[in-house]
Amino acid sequence: MNDVIDDWLARFDTALSSGDANAVAELFEPGGYWRDLLAFTWNIHTAEGRPAIRDMLKACLAGTAPSGWHRTTDAEETEDGTAAWIAFRTAVATAEGRVTVRDGRAHILFTAMKDIVGHEEPVGHNRPMGIVHKADRHRETWSEARAKEQARIGREDQPEVLIVGGGQGGVALAARLKQFGVPALIVEKNPRIGDSWRNRYRSLVLHDPVWYDHLPYLPFPETWPVFCPKDKIGDWLEAYALIFELDAWTSTSCDSAQWDADAQRWTATVTKDGEEITLTPKQLVFCTGAYGPPNLPDFPGQSDYRGTLLHSSQYHEGAPFRGKRALVIGAGSSAHDVAVDLWEAGANVTMFQRRPSIVVRSKTLMELGFDIYSQDAADRGLTADRADMLAASTPYALFTAKQQALYKTIIARDADFYAKLDRAGFAYDFGEDDSGLMMRALRTASGYYIDVGASTLIAEGEIGVIGNDEIECLTPEGIRFASGREEQADVIVACTGYQSMNEAVAPIVSRAAADMVGPCWGLGSGIRGDPGPWLGELRNMWKPTAHEGLWFHGGNLALSRFYSRFVALQLKARQLGIPTPVYGRPAPCRVPEDA
Amino acid sequence: MNDVIDDWLARFDTALSSGDANAVAELFEPGGYWRDLLAFTWNIHTAEGRPAIRDMLKACLAGTAPSGWHRTTDAEETEDGTAAWIAFRTAVATAEGRVTVRDGRAHILFTAMKDIVGHEEPVGHNRPMGIVHKADRHRETWSEARAKEQARIGREDQPEVLIVGGGQGGVALAARLKQFGVPALIVEKNPRIGDSWRNRYRSLVLHDPVWYDHLPYLPFPETWPVFCPKDKIGDWLEAYALIFELDAWTSTSCDSAQWDADAQRWTATVTKDGEEITLTPKQLVFCTGAYGPPNLPDFPGQSDYRGTLLHSSQYHEGAPFRGKRALVIGAGSSAHDVAVDLWEAGANVTMFQRRPSIVVRSKTLMELGFDIYSQDAADRGLTADRADMLAASTPYALFTAKQQALYKTIIARDADFYAKLDRAGFAYDFGEDDSGLMMRALRTASGYYIDVGASTLIAEGEIGVIGNDEIECLTPEGIRFASGREEQADVIVACTGYQSMNEAVAPIVSRAAADMVGPCWGLGSGIRGDPGPWLGELRNMWKPTAHEGLWFHGGNLALSRFYSRFVALQLKARQLGIPTPVYGRPAPCRVPEDA
């Protein structure tokens, strides 16, 4: 088996060295895939099929100058072909990847930058010594150096990178940048790091299991609960920021940021504990969550409604609504969690479902969907970092098909569960193409629920469901539907989701900038909320946008962990002044009118 | 090779099942060793030779009821014989260990309790779920439960265990007890957890490398420096206490504790922010450091001295002594560190060496002495927890011989280094029996230095050395020696070490109790500071003492990590009321006069 890989690598190396993009492309299946994270493209890019691979190489091969291709593990047979982990280097970096070969041709090639040579991530064998074992009359101790750094950043010393938001995205990125020696400053509007979790509704608990949720460098302890409560995540983020010596200004808002194209830097104004401070970072990264601002309710007759109307982001706990009639609008994750929270507080709860949701039982998803992120995997020595690389080695186009196969299994296995939801009048589907929850999350970041208890309440009629209808207007007592149905409610919680991340750019940079970069997330899959054409990668996440110096980083804990490394590598290269020609940089989404 | 182990285990199992202690002892070499951590003895005990093994079994075998002996790894050839990891269970616990067989007989058997059945440590597969995936109208969230627990402990709820001291010993033990469900309260006199490190002298950095220093459950991140600065350790301990939800009262002193033999509990008085609070724990654990109170200077003529006289524990930084004449008394770790700190601050430093020290270069010790605690070991998958078990599987009697062999290598390798120390007039040895630094640390916890820079300054004459003399008295200007030599000094730092840990008991419990339990540390090796007879184990550490309900836990980070598990198991068993007959419990060291 190793021969299959070694032979292919030898031919590949020869073709690359000849500089002949056609010859290289011939080594792929006609419909083969090449997913690249920075190594060739300084972008996150998947070339699908020989013509796309050829075009990519024509643009990138000479500058990349790849060499030293070799296998780093024994080859293994997979459902996609013979596969092995590989390593190589480029003109400026070490890189690794994975190749899957069928009948002598590459079905999938995955390449990822590892370290910029001379600026390796200081982990393991590269970790700092902590002390020079030599007496030194000019010794500055760790705490003295750290105190100086903290006092100077944002004042005497300008950060290279300004990070807006101190949730998991912000702290993961700041931790990477600290290791890479890129001065970065987090501004977080809340008083403490972790408050973005603490401020959510009372009963919130992570829906993903612990093995999927580790942050960079410091895995959760082996005692950590499988599903972590929100406040405990908040405390973890706060401790993490302390441990990794992150520079973070809390109780600080980012009020404005203007790009100076001549100086190639931002002028940003922040307010820290009432003091206005101007910063001039080279890079501005929005780590404001997986979403933008909330889609606040805007129903006809809204001002007539006499009850309590809240967006899910404003909902904190159910206690005030004990014995009251509650109506939850929506059927995604927040809607389910809020409905349970209200029910637990003793409210009489009805959910108005606007369209079908994807619902999967947590236990099922853990057993079938998280096999590489599990205690069994950890016991086999598969770390989250290695599992991330494995997950990243499958192009999104192929991931869709794999998820469709998974959902066939899930639907059969949990037939009883779905039959009960049916009987309760709850509308579910598995996505437009039956590719399930993860694909919907990637495509639209909405419309799904991992069942941790709400579905049982719905199946048992404890939470009522209204579907097949539309809201006509709010009335003084509740909601009137298009069918003529009227529902009285003392409280209405609109779990109507959030706008895209780029909407966070508008109030800080400008409306024009937000429009120019366009929405985040989505693959161009051509479904509602994710219009085509097919892109093969997520929009705007963790890679250059159409706006110079403007980046988005975030997602759940797992995505924040993995992609923080690649965002940090891109920012480090720019700090160093290494040429970073971006292949396939997105065009402005809409040319701003004042441009 | 596996057969060698399997055959022996089968014979061993048969002999144990017959209840015939003689037959079991015959399966050991005449001078064979059996080291047991709780599994048979509810003690930390090494039986050396067949008669000792026989005696131990006669007392312990029936109650232990061991069964299910099996090999858990492939056997390997070692310098001591054919060895393998094993597992078994007792009447109440699962246990593991290691056996080394030569010519069909056990050379070494190591047995260690793992988990009390039904009360397994909640790690890995046993970790908590964090949430019941079911709606629940009586749900208490994590933060609500935690807030209630914090508010009640020491007030409405009495801790089972009172831990005096919140350094690495206290937090490691409290973290274990939290997992085992044993309510424990730390009282720490300083305002913040970690201050016991922060308060030490400015330039202090750990002399042990990071791979040896992990605390339970949460290894340091892979970015952590090899030698950690003191303030960073302080911050880590503080974050650790937060992450593991430890109940710790800071700015709190433990003023007194009286044992009530009838009620089988303590009455302890603590002062928390000026408020006096009475606690009634069942167990009292001193985690006040590896040492007791400082040996404060008490020299003739001391009151005449007009300069600054400090014990090393009072020394903070050298800055005030720039350009001054400094005399450091002692040649152990503190003396070396303080001498360098003074030299770095620009003082003129002389060290008065009272007796030879053991000095080893840090680099040498890391390469030769810490092979199982290293990045290479970690890369091979050898965790600190597994390395601890490997280290613990060698009885102290055999460890001495292994260390003698190691020091032969070290002396040859670093001959130039020692020749330079010789020429500078620095007196060194390698212990009374050439067993080196680690053995001296275990025997007397003093008189050694891992060179991180001071020895170079001494070799180069930058730090002067006075030896072969004795202090006659202090004079107004400095010190007069027995030889008639007079040394002027603006500052004298007495690095004269510390008393034994049991001296911390005297002011809190009573002089009589401190005397009854006697000193901690030392193996009975018959050298200065560690009088015989030979004990085979350390005095009073991590195991029952001569005083009911009184325990000592601590040592460096590594010992605090490993033994915290065994202290916690002993305390958990007592909380559960499981019979814990202690084999070889120490007799009162000196019967208190008022008994």
Side-chain angles (χ1 to χ4, degrees):
Chain A
M1 265 196 294
N2 287 340
D3 289 349
V4 171
I5 303 297
D6 294 341
D7 290 352
W8 187 87
L9 280 178
R11 286 182 283 134
F12 186 60
D13 197 5
T14 304
L16 289 170
S17 302
S18 74
D20 181 348
N22 281 307
V24 178
E26 290 294 319
L27 295 172
F28 286 76
E29 293 180 347
Y33 296 87
W34 185 342
R35 182 170 202 227
D36 181 62
L37 305 183
L38 312 186
F40 279 71
T41 59
W42 282 108
N43 200 350
I44 295 177
H45 184 86
T46 298
E48 303 184 352
R50 285 182 183 161
I53 290 169
R54 199 160 42 227
D55 290 348
M56 187 269 269
L57 281 170
K58 282 181 178 163
C60 303
L61 181 53
T64 304
S67 64
W69 296 84
H70 63 284
R71 193 170 40 76
T72 55
T73 60
D74 279 333
E76 51 187 318
E77 288 304 335
T78 73
E79 58 181 5
D80 296 315
T82 307
W85 292 99
I86 59 174
F88 62 102
R89 57 164 293 171
T90 72
V92 298
T94 57
E96 54 190 338
R98 184 175 170 92
V99 64
T100 305
V101 174
R102 296 198 296 210
D103 297 329
R105 291 212 166 89
H107 172 45
I108 309 168
L109 177 64
F110 168 58
T111 51
M113 187 173 290
K114 189 167 186 298
D115 276 308
I116 297 171
V117 174
H119 304 275
E120 286 75 11
E121 198 169 33
V123 299
H125 283 279
N126 290 329
R127 69 172 82 222
M129 285 301 284
I131 186 175
V132 179
H133 279 167
K134 188 173 180 313
D136 173 7
R137 284 210 153 126
H138 306 287
R139 186 193 298 277
E140 185 175 49
T141 67
W142 168 80
S143 57
E144 289 159 2
R146 175 69 189 127
K148 192 195 284 182
E149 180 184 55
Q150 271 185 299
R152 293 179 61 96
I153 194 158
R155 313 278 187 173
E156 292 91 335
D157 298 336
Q158 280 304 312
E160 175 84 8
V161 180
L162 180 61
I163 296 172
V164 183
Q168 67 264 22
V171 303
L173 178 59
R176 298 277 192 192
L177 290 171
K178 175 70 73 167
Q179 304 309 316
F180 282 124
V182 180
L185 178 64
I186 294 173
V187 291
E188 163 60 44
K189 65 176 188 292
N190 290 302
R192 290 166 63 195
I193 295 290
D195 280 349
S196 52
W197 283 93
R198 294 189 192 94
N199 290 344
R200 299 298 307 280
Y201 50 87
R202 169 180 173 274
S203 59
L204 178 64
V205 166
L206 289 195
H207 292 193
D208 291 330
V210 59
W211 306 280
Y212 187 60
D213 302 329
H214 298 302
L215 286 178
Y217 308 126
L218 183 68
F220 291 111
E222 54 184 336
T223 57
W224 206 254
V226 176
F227 298 103
C228 185
K230 68 174 178 101
D231 295 289
K232 197 167 168 69
I233 284 286
D235 289 353
W236 179 260
L237 292 180
E238 192 171 16
Y240 188 91
L242 176 70
I243 289 166
F244 286 96
E245 304 171 22
L246 306 186
D247 295 299
W249 286 356
T250 52
S251 300
T252 302
S253 60
C254 185
D255 307 323
S256 78
Q258 302 307 320
W259 176 249
D260 181 336
D262 295 332
Q264 287 284 300
R265 67 178 190 203
W266 294 89
T267 302
T269 308
V270 306
T271 304
K272 178 176 192 275
D273 295 321
E275 179 193 2
E276 193 170 283
I277 300 169
T278 299
L279 301 169
T280 56
K282 299 254 176 65
Q283 312 288 347
L284 178 64
V285 188
F286 282 83
C287 297
T288 46
Y291 309 105
N295 286 320
L296 293 173
D298 181 22
F299 302 110
Q302 192 167 304
S303 60
D304 298 333
Y305 177 59
R306 295 203 206 99
T308 304
L309 176 65
L310 299 169
H311 183 263
S312 59
S313 61
Q314 300 161 322
Y315 175 88
H316 187 61
E317 58 167 345
F321 309 114
R322 181 179 168 81
K324 303 280 175 70
R325 294 159 306 178
L327 195 62
V328 173
I329 301 175
S333 295
S334 298
H336 280 85
D337 276 355
V338 167
V340 170
D341 203 69
L342 285 163
W343 179 89
E344 290 187 347
N348 188 339
V349 188
T350 302
M351 179 185 269
F352 167 56
Q353 187 177 18
R354 297 177 298 169
R355 63 186 74 87
S357 295
I358 302 179
V359 177
V360 185
R361 294 173 64 225
S362 171
K363 190 171 154 57
T364 300
L365 203 59
M366 270 181 72
E367 287 175 21
L368 301 181
F370 282 107
D371 54 322
I372 62 172
Y373 299 99
S374 66
Q375 190 64 46
D376 285 337
D379 290 348
R380 288 197 309 271
L382 183 63
T383 63
D385 287 343
R386 293 315 301 170
D388 286 346
M389 285 293 282
L390 191 59
S393 69
T394 299
Y396 286 111
L398 294 176
F399 187 63
T400 309
K402 288 183 195 295
Q403 290 288 296
Q404 286 166 332
L406 170 65
Y407 275 82
K408 283 205 173 68
T409 308
I410 288 176
I411 293 165
R413 176 181 159 135
D414 290 338
D416 286 356
F417 171 78
Y418 292 111
K420 280 183 198 160
L421 283 182
D422 256 338
R423 282 196 294 275
F426 185 91
Y428 59 86
D429 65 10
F430 298 96
E432 288 75 355
D433 54 357
D434 290 325
S435 60
L437 189 150
M438 292 282 272
M439 288 310 302
R440 184 169 281 178
L442 294 166
R443 289 164 170 176
T444 69
S446 68
Y448 58 88
Y449 173 59
I450 299 173
D451 177 37
V452 292
S455 297
T456 304
L457 291 182
I458 290 170
E460 292 172 354
E462 291 282 327
I463 293 175
V465 177
I466 300 172
N468 289 316
D469 217 331
E470 281 182 51
I471 294 173
E472 188 176 294
C473 64
L474 267 57
T475 66
E477 279 76 37
I479 294 182
R480 183 180 310 134
F481 290 92
S483 65
R485 175 176 188 152
E486 299 222 10
E487 280 288 318
Q488 296 191 327
D490 302 301
V491 56
I492 298 174
V493 185
C495 301
T496 42
Y498 295 82
Q499 302 169 60
S500 186
M501 282 180 81
N502 67 318
E503 291 301 321
V505 171
I508 293 175
V509 184
S510 67
R511 180 72 254 164
D515 291 343
M516 185 173 90
V517 298
C520 298
W521 303 97
L523 296 157
S525 55
I527 64 162
R528 195 187 68 83
D530 181 25
W534 174 248
L535 300 167
E537 291 287 346
L538 293 169
R539 291 184 184 90
N540 281 326
M541 292 307 300
W542 318 299
K543 61 185 182 182
T545 66
H547 193 300
E548 284 186 287
L550 176 62
W551 308 76
F552 296 98
H553 174 67
N556 60 21
L557 288 144
L559 294 168
S560 295
R561 167 184 68 237
F562 181 64
Y563 285 103
S564 60
R565 185 166 217 284
F566 297 97
V567 176
L569 282 168
Q570 293 173 80
L571 299 177
K572 179 67 183 176
R574 282 158 177 83
Q575 180 204 30
L576 291 169
I578 291 174
T580 53
V582 176
Y583 179 72
R585 184 176 198 127
C589 200
R590 188 197 306 172
V591 178
E593 285 172 24
D594 60 350
Chain B
M1 265 196 293
N2 287 340
D3 289 350
V4 171
I5 304 297
D6 294 340
D7 290 351
W8 187 87
L9 281 179
R11 285 182 284 136
F12 186 60
D13 197 5
T14 304
L16 289 170
S17 302
S18 74
D20 181 348
N22 281 307
V24 178
E26 289 294 319
L27 295 173
F28 285 77
E29 293 180 349
Y33 296 87
W34 186 341
R35 181 168 202 229
D36 181 60
L37 305 184
L38 312 187
F40 280 71
T41 60
W42 282 108
N43 199 350
I44 295 178
H45 184 85
T46 298
E48 303 185 351
R50 284 182 184 163
I53 290 170
R54 198 161 41 227
D55 290 348
M56 186 268 271
L57 282 171
K58 281 182 178 162
C60 304
L61 181 54
T64 304
S67 64
W69 296 84
H70 64 282
R71 192 170 41 75
T72 56
T73 59
D74 278 335
E76 51 188 318
E77 287 305 336
T78 74
E79 58 181 5
D80 295 315
T82 307
W85 292 98
I86 59 173
F88 62 103
R89 56 164 295 168
T90 72
V92 297
T94 57
E96 53 190 339
R98 185 174 169 93
V99 64
T100 305
V101 174
R102 296 197 295 209
D103 297 329
R105 291 212 167 86
H107 173 46
I108 310 168
L109 177 63
F110 169 59
T111 51
M113 188 173 289
K114 189 167 187 297
D115 277 308
I116 298 171
V117 174
H119 304 274
E120 287 76 11
E121 198 168 32
V123 300
H125 283 280
N126 290 330
R127 69 173 80 221
M129 285 300 285
I131 187 174
V132 180
H133 279 167
K134 188 173 180 310
D136 174 7
R137 284 213 154 123
H138 307 287
R139 185 194 299 277
E140 185 175 49
T141 67
W142 168 80
S143 57
E144 290 159 2
R146 174 70 189 127
K148 191 195 284 181
E149 180 183 55
Q150 272 185 299
R152 292 179 62 95
I153 194 158
R155 314 279 185 171
E156 292 92 336
D157 298 336
Q158 281 303 314
E160 175 85 8
V161 180
L162 180 62
I163 296 172
V164 182
Q168 67 264 24
V171 304
L173 178 59
R176 296 278 192 192
L177 290 172
K178 176 70 73 167
Q179 303 309 316
F180 282 125
V182 180
L185 178 64
I186 294 173
V187 290
E188 163 61 44
K189 65 176 188 292
N190 289 301
R192 290 166 63 195
I193 294 289
D195 280 348
S196 53
W197 282 95
R198 294 189 192 95
N199 290 345
R200 298 299 306 281
Y201 49 88
R202 169 181 173 274
S203 58
L204 178 64
V205 167
L206 290 194
H207 292 194
D208 291 329
V210 59
W211 306 280
Y212 187 59
D213 302 329
H214 299 301
L215 286 178
Y217 309 127
L218 183 68
F220 290 110
E222 54 183 336
T223 58
W224 206 254
V226 176
F227 298 103
C228 186
K230 68 172 178 104
D231 295 288
K232 197 167 170 67
I233 284 287
D235 288 353
W236 179 259
L237 292 181
E238 191 171 17
Y240 188 91
L242 175 69
I243 289 167
F244 286 97
E245 305 171 20
L246 306 186
D247 295 298
W249 287 357
T250 52
S251 299
T252 303
S253 59
C254 184
D255 307 323
S256 78
Q258 301 308 318
W259 176 247
D260 181 336
D262 294 332
Q264 288 283 300
R265 68 179 189 205
W266 294 89
T267 301
T269 308
V270 306
T271 304
K272 178 176 191 278
D273 296 320
E275 179 193 4
E276 192 170 283
I277 300 169
T278 299
L279 301 169
T280 55
K282 298 254 176 63
Q283 313 287 345
L284 178 64
V285 189
F286 282 83
C287 297
T288 47
Y291 310 105
N295 285 320
L296 292 174
D298 182 23
F299 302 109
Q302 192 167 304
S303 59
D304 299 334
Y305 178 59
R306 295 202 207 100
T308 305
L309 176 65
L310 299 169
H311 183 263
S312 59
S313 61
Q314 299 162 324
Y315 175 88
H316 186 63
E317 58 167 344
F321 310 114
R322 181 178 169 81
K324 304 280 176 70
R325 295 159 304 180
L327 195 62
V328 174
I329 301 174
S333 295
S334 298
H336 279 85
D337 276 355
V338 167
V340 171
D341 203 68
L342 285 162
W343 179 89
E344 289 187 347
N348 188 340
V349 188
T350 302
M351 180 185 268
F352 167 56
Q353 186 177 20
R354 297 177 297 169
R355 62 187 74 88
S357 296
I358 302 178
V359 177
V360 185
R361 294 173 64 226
S362 171
K363 190 171 154 58
T364 300
L365 204 58
M366 269 181 72
E367 286 174 22
L368 301 181
F370 281 107
D371 55 322
I372 62 173
Y373 299 99
S374 65
Q375 190 64 44
D376 285 338
D379 289 349
R380 288 198 309 272
L382 184 62
T383 62
D385 287 342
R386 293 315 302 171
D388 286 346
M389 285 293 283
L390 191 59
S393 70
T394 300
Y396 285 111
L398 293 176
F399 187 64
T400 310
K402 288 182 194 295
Q403 290 289 295
Q404 286 166 332
L406 170 65
Y407 275 81
K408 284 206 172 69
T409 308
I410 289 176
I411 293 164
R413 175 181 161 135
D414 290 338
D416 287 356
F417 171 79
Y418 292 112
K420 280 182 198 159
L421 282 182
D422 256 340
R423 283 196 294 273
F426 186 91
Y428 60 84
D429 66 9
F430 298 96
E432 289 75 355
D433 54 358
D434 290 324
S435 59
L437 190 149
M438 292 283 272
M439 287 312 301
R440 184 169 280 178
L442 294 166
R443 289 164 170 176
T444 69
S446 68
Y448 59 87
Y449 172 60
I450 299 173
D451 177 37
V452 292
S455 297
T456 304
L457 290 182
I458 290 168
E460 291 172 355
E462 292 283 327
I463 293 175
V465 177
I466 300 172
N468 289 317
D469 216 330
E470 281 181 50
I471 294 173
E472 187 176 294
C473 64
L474 267 55
T475 66
E477 278 76 36
I479 294 182
R480 183 182 308 135
F481 291 92
S483 64
R485 175 178 189 151
E486 300 221 10
E487 279 289 316
Q488 295 191 327
D490 302 300
V491 58
I492 298 174
V493 185
C495 300
T496 41
Y498 295 82
Q499 302 170 59
S500 186
M501 281 180 81
N502 68 319
E503 290 302 321
V505 171
I508 293 175
V509 184
S510 67
R511 182 72 253 162
D515 291 342
M516 184 173 90
V517 298
C520 298
W521 301 98
L523 295 157
S525 55
I527 64 161
R528 194 188 68 83
D530 181 26
W534 174 249
L535 300 168
E537 291 288 344
L538 294 169
R539 291 184 184 89
N540 281 327
M541 293 306 300
W542 318 300
K543 61 186 181 182
T545 66
H547 193 301
E548 283 185 288
L550 176 62
W551 307 77
F552 297 98
H553 174 66
N556 61 19
L557 288 144
L559 294 169
S560 296
R561 166 185 69 237
F562 181 64
Y563 285 104
S564 60
R565 185 166 217 284
F566 297 98
V567 176
L569 281 168
Q570 293 173 81
L571 298 177
K572 178 68 184 176
R574 283 158 176 81
Q575 180 205 28
L576 290 170
I578 290 175
T580 54
V582 177
Y583 179 72
R585 185 177 198 126
C589 199
R590 187 197 307 171
V591 178
E593 285 172 25
D594 59 350

